[in-house]
Amino acid sequence: MKNLHLFVFFHLNLMYSSIEEEQRTTVVRDCYGPLLDLLEGGSVPMAIEIPGVTLEILADLDSAWIGRLKRLIGAGRCELIGSGYTQLIGPLVPALVNRANLRLGHEVYERLLGIRPTLALVNEQAYSSGMVPHYLDAGYRALIMEWNNPFRTHPDWDPEWRYLPQRAVDPSGERSIPVLWNNSIVFQKFQRYAHGEMDREEYLRYLGQHAGGRPRVLCLYGNDAEIFDFRPGRYHTEAVPCGESEWKRIGHILECIARDEACRFLLPAEALRFLGENEAGNILDLSSPEEPIPVKKQVKYNINRWGITGRDDLGVNTACWRIYEQLRRLPSADDTLWRELCYLWSSDFRTHITDRRWNAFRDRLLALANRVSGDKPRVAPPALPTWVNRPAPASVTRIGRLLCVEAGSIRLVLNLARGLAVDSLAFLDTSPRPLCGTLDHGYYDDIRYGADFYTGHVVFETPGRSRITDLGPVEPAWETPGDGSVRIWGRVPTPLGEVVKEITVAPAENRVGFAFELHWPLLPVGSLRIGAITFHPEAFDPHSLYYATHNGGDTLETFSLVGHRVQHGDAASFLVSARQALGMTEGTVVVGDRERRLTVTINRKRAAVLGQVTFDPVGESYFLRLVFSAREMDETSRPLALSEPLRCSLSLRGERASNISQEGKNP
């Protein structure tokens, strides 16, 4: 091995989902204590990444451990890596909460350790370009992010770049931050050695494959500390203890590597000096249209995992959004409330949470909701209108199986034989052609798309059962209040219960709204997608087509679809029902081209659904669909009893041109 510069960091998290609170002292004794022993007795410097809330818990459990860590940092033997107050998933929460989480984390680091870290680990390696300004504004000078998944969707990247720091760019393209790479394959190999699944020679042969003729930087390990000499009980496939101390095995292999004169261990921050190398410092967009939110490890670990799987991720995330909307309007809101919201938005409540911790979490979530709702926000006086729009009276005409609505410049046709699915929707001020609707069987010659593709419907799929939809016949009711708007209702029975739909056409706002109520007593494990929008290929220019949304940042992240194939909703495996999603953290998704766009707005306080895009070139045309997922399936999912109807609402607005770049940031 030549010119191989290595660094190691351990992620410490006493909020680990499957660890009971009474087990935390065992974790400190069997995992965190031996880690500091290695630092004090060995020759290899290492880094520790720790969220602020874990540091607070540690201070209560073992203040001496905090003192030891502080001394090691002061002696230059250990580096502190920050991540925020809690391990929340940045691309799924609003920008204001992300800023609060980073700020509150710094306060804990300064209070308990007397320092403010300058290197941050992206929580769960769930990254979006919108997060870059948050880290920069919080004072971080570099990030650690996984290499494998961003590289997979960027075939133009030079594989050599994985061995040197690069720069991650924000959505505007104007700001960037240095990135050190973590590598999932490399750290999983380290885990296998520590667990006794590889012998020393086999592991060293693998490590030697990363050596080269030029200087290279490699993160030898960058993952959990709680999996060595302790088993959280999270998976049935956890490694069986090998009979000898795993921390001793780690110490032995690190010392063995350190004796190799061609290798040198350094602290992560020291690796930033390699930014001056020839292949370093490239300005990279780590996200892509195919994977707007890359996450660490294999594809089964994706952003849906913390948004819409688990016991009831949709329900608890929706509750957090309701608290957030109230909290940000409270004149009395202080850091105590923001800290509690960050705690409740932690990723660890959304995966393999134990029964006791889940019940305690739900109680704490309800307590904050009650506390915030009890403190009434100051109500501003209503603004006076500056103009009055009085559209012409709307018309509703029934023609066979179709219900045709004309209101202002909006033309909406609904299919009564298919549960009020949208046959066509045109905003004539935007385009003479319908922007979305139904593509009938036979629209495409390609047999892969030999089906009907609807808009505005519900689809539920569960393994081994027939698909359930609301595409049955419906007898509608409607009213035209006289202000130019139209409201339409329908009820559709399904095997799981009734679906109630309400469609509002509001020409004064140039908007069509859809509201869904699912009166289903039980939601089985599966995939529930609501309000699909199928775009008409004739309405948009395929050479400038894009989608845009917010994923935890203040700025729209724009993704060109030109030359890409996007399949967010495709199953990753029989067990994992989707691959990717959009955070939509400001509540909007935009789909359009250089001349027109359709802006879709969701009500996150009603249901914190995630967006999924499908885009596939088909012959000389293309297939483009946006759906909203309320539930996906993975190994954390459980059947969910619904005490009240599941409600979801969204609205569509057609607009000319755009004040964001239609060319996108990923040409």
Side-chain angles (χ1 to χ4, degrees):
M1 292 182 282
K2 296 181 179 180
N3 298 318
L4 197 55
H5 301 265
L6 304 168
F7 68 90
V8 176
F9 74 89
F10 290 88
H11 166 60
L12 277 58
N13 180 23
L14 284 174
M15 295 284 288
Y16 205 120
S17 59
S18 54
I19 297 177
E20 297 284 8
E21 290 190 20
E22 63 266 24
Q23 292 180 293
R24 289 172 176 171
T25 54
T26 303
V27 172
V28 175
R29 182 195 67 206
D30 294 346
C31 304
Y32 298 177
L35 172 57
L36 295 192
D37 291 342
L38 285 183
L39 280 162
E40 290 172 337
S43 64
V44 176
M46 289 180 277
I48 288 175
E49 181 274 320
I50 184 167
V53 65
T54 288
L55 202 57
E56 289 181 330
I57 296 170
L58 269 167
D60 290 335
L61 292 177
D62 189 349
S63 59
W65 190 95
I66 298 289
R68 292 175 68 192
L69 176 61
K70 191 172 181 179
R71 287 191 295 274
L72 286 164
I73 293 172
R77 298 279 301 126
C78 180
E79 179 180 354
L80 177 67
I81 298 173
S83 62
Y85 182 66
T86 69
Q87 187 180 245
L88 55 75
I89 306 301
L92 294 184
V93 305
L96 190 58
V97 173
N98 278 314
R99 287 195 290 271
N101 191 53
L102 293 174
R103 176 177 56 81
L104 294 169
H106 275 318
E107 290 181 3
V108 176
Y109 300 139
E110 289 182 315
R111 172 164 49 88
L112 294 179
L113 295 175
I115 59 171
R116 179 180 286 234
T118 59
L119 184 61
L121 176 69
V122 176
N123 287 334
E124 294 288 7
Q125 311 283 263
Y127 172 91
S128 71
S129 61
M131 292 295 296
V132 168
H134 295 325
Y135 287 110
L136 289 168
D137 293 343
Y140 285 106
R141 65 186 185 99
L143 300 179
I144 297 177
M145 174 56 193
E146 193 224 43
W147 160 268
N148 310 77
N149 282 284
F151 175 65
R152 179 173 54 84
T153 59
H154 290 88
D156 56 315
W157 286 8
D158 186 337
E160 191 68 23
W161 292 351
R162 76 186 70 189
Y163 296 113
L164 292 168
Q166 309 297 338
R167 300 190 70 90
V169 70
D170 79 333
S172 72
E174 298 175 358
R175 304 179 73 185
S176 66
I177 190 169
V179 176
L180 296 175
W181 300 114
N182 194 9
N183 188 308
S184 288
I185 300 297
V186 174
F187 78 63
Q188 287 172 337
K189 287 290 189 182
F190 186 94
Q191 286 175 189
R192 291 187 179 193
Y193 169 78
H195 288 157
E197 297 174 3
M198 296 176 69
D199 60 32
R200 184 175 67 175
E201 288 70 25
E202 182 183 5
Y203 179 73
L204 292 175
R205 283 197 301 271
Y206 167 76
L207 184 59
Q209 297 173 16
H210 292 277
R214 293 182 293 180
R216 287 179 167 182
V217 177
L218 183 69
C219 179
L220 202 61
Y221 186 73
N223 203 40
D224 302 332
E226 299 84 5
I227 62 172
F228 302 121
D229 284 344
F230 181 83
R231 296 295 183 266
R234 187 170 186 170
Y235 304 105
H236 296 299
T237 56
E238 286 179 336
V240 176
C242 61
E244 62 178 306
S245 168
E246 291 163 352
W247 285 105
K248 285 186 177 179
R249 285 179 63 85
I250 290 171
H252 291 158
I253 197 67
L254 292 178
E255 294 298 332
C256 176
I257 297 169
R259 287 193 293 271
D260 189 326
E261 294 182 356
C263 295
R264 178 173 180 267
F265 279 97
L266 40 70
L267 292 172
E270 295 179 83
L272 292 174
R273 72 169 185 265
F274 290 93
L275 272 169
E277 294 289 325
N278 288 336
E279 297 297 324
N282 294 282
I283 304 295
L284 305 179
D285 187 352
L286 277 56
S287 54
S288 66
E290 297 86 351
E291 199 165 64
I293 306 174
V295 175
K296 69 181 179 181
K297 299 196 291 189
Q298 289 73 17
V299 70
K300 65 181 180 179
Y301 303 99
N302 61 67
I303 197 64
N304 294 291
R305 186 176 186 83
W306 302 282
I308 44 179
T309 64
R311 292 176 181 245
D312 184 15
D313 286 356
L314 179 74
V316 298
N317 287 335
T318 301
C320 285
W321 275 96
R322 291 171 183 163
I323 293 169
Y324 162 72
E325 292 292 350
Q326 292 174 311
L327 188 57
R328 71 191 184 104
R329 292 178 171 86
L330 284 180
S332 59
D334 58 15
D335 280 352
T336 302
L337 295 174
W338 286 109
R339 188 178 295 108
E340 183 69 359
L341 180 56
C342 290
Y343 176 88
L344 295 170
W345 234 316
S346 171
S347 65
D348 297 289
F349 296 121
R350 288 155 174 80
T351 51
H352 294 273
I353 190 73
T354 65
D355 290 341
R356 277 191 293 166
R357 290 189 62 199
W358 171 255
N359 292 332
F361 164 69
R362 291 298 301 269
D363 290 344
R364 197 159 167 174
L365 183 63
L366 179 61
L368 182 61
N370 290 336
R371 180 179 177 185
V372 172
S373 62
D375 190 356
K376 302 299 182 184
R378 182 172 57 237
V379 178
L384 296 175
T386 57
W387 52 269
V388 177
N389 187 358
R390 299 185 183 278
S395 69
V396 181
T397 307
R398 185 167 183 170
I399 306 174
R401 63 182 178 84
L402 302 178
L403 192 69
C404 305
V405 180
E406 296 188 13
S409 64
I410 299 174
R411 300 292 184 270
L412 172 67
V413 180
L414 302 173
N415 190 334
L416 305 182
R418 292 291 183 264
L420 295 177
V422 176
D423 189 77
S424 64
L425 172 58
F427 296 88
L428 299 181
D429 289 347
T430 301
S431 171
R433 297 178 181 272
L435 299 184
C436 62
T438 297
L439 300 180
D440 293 321
H441 175 259
Y443 181 89
Y444 299 102
D445 289 334
D446 192 324
I447 193 60
R448 295 177 303 148
Y449 291 93
D452 297 299
F453 296 99
Y454 298 99
T455 288
H457 62 300
V458 174
V459 177
F460 176 76
E461 294 181 289
T462 191
R465 298 289 185 271
S466 298
R467 173 185 292 184
I468 293 173
T469 75
D470 65 345
L471 292 170
V474 62
E475 188 60 34
W478 67 83
E479 68 175 9
T480 55
D483 59 356
S485 66
V486 181
R487 297 175 69 195
I488 304 160
W489 297 269
R491 297 176 179 270
V492 186
T494 79
L496 289 177
E498 191 176 60
V499 175
V500 180
K501 303 171 75 168
E502 178 180 342
I503 300 171
T504 303
V505 181
E509 303 169 19
N510 198 35
R511 178 183 63 84
V512 176
F514 296 83
F516 303 83
E517 282 192 3
L518 278 61
H519 293 258
W520 296 1
L522 179 69
L523 184 57
V525 171
S527 170
L528 175 60
R529 296 170 185 176
I530 299 175
I533 302 169
T534 303
F535 292 84
H536 273 294
E538 296 97 333
F540 295 94
D541 168 32
H543 303 295
S544 60
L545 201 57
Y546 70 94
Y547 73 85
T549 192
H550 299 82
N551 294 313
D554 293 294
T555 306
L556 272 173
E557 300 175 30
T558 307
F559 300 90
S560 170
L561 291 169
V562 181
H564 294 272
R565 184 173 182 267
V566 179
Q567 302 286 343
H568 295 168
D570 275 11
S573 68
F574 182 79
L575 180 62
V576 180
S577 58
R579 293 172 173 266
Q580 259 294 312
L582 311 178
M584 305 184 301
T585 51
E586 295 300 317
T588 59
V589 183
V590 179
V591 178
D593 60 20
R594 62 170 57 92
E595 294 185 0
R596 62 191 59 82
R597 67 182 185 179
L598 188 70
T599 298
V600 186
T601 303
I602 63 167
N603 185 341
R604 303 197 65 82
K605 293 188 295 181
R606 179 163 285 193
V609 295
L610 301 185
Q612 295 172 344
V613 173
T614 298
F615 177 75
D616 194 10
V618 185
E620 297 299 315
S621 185
Y622 61 85
F623 177 78
L624 174 58
R625 175 177 265 183
L626 171 66
V627 304
F628 300 96
S629 180
R631 189 163 174 85
E632 295 295 342
M633 180 179 70
D634 65 13
E635 85 283 359
T636 72
S637 301
R638 297 189 183 184
L640 177 62
L642 298 175
S643 58
E644 60 181 38
L646 193 160
R647 298 178 175 88
C648 177
S649 62
L650 57 116
S651 65
L652 282 61
R653 183 195 302 269
E655 298 168 310
R656 294 289 300 177
S658 172
N659 58 3
I660 63 176
S661 170
Q662 290 89 354
E663 297 302 323
K665 62 176 185 175
N666 296 292

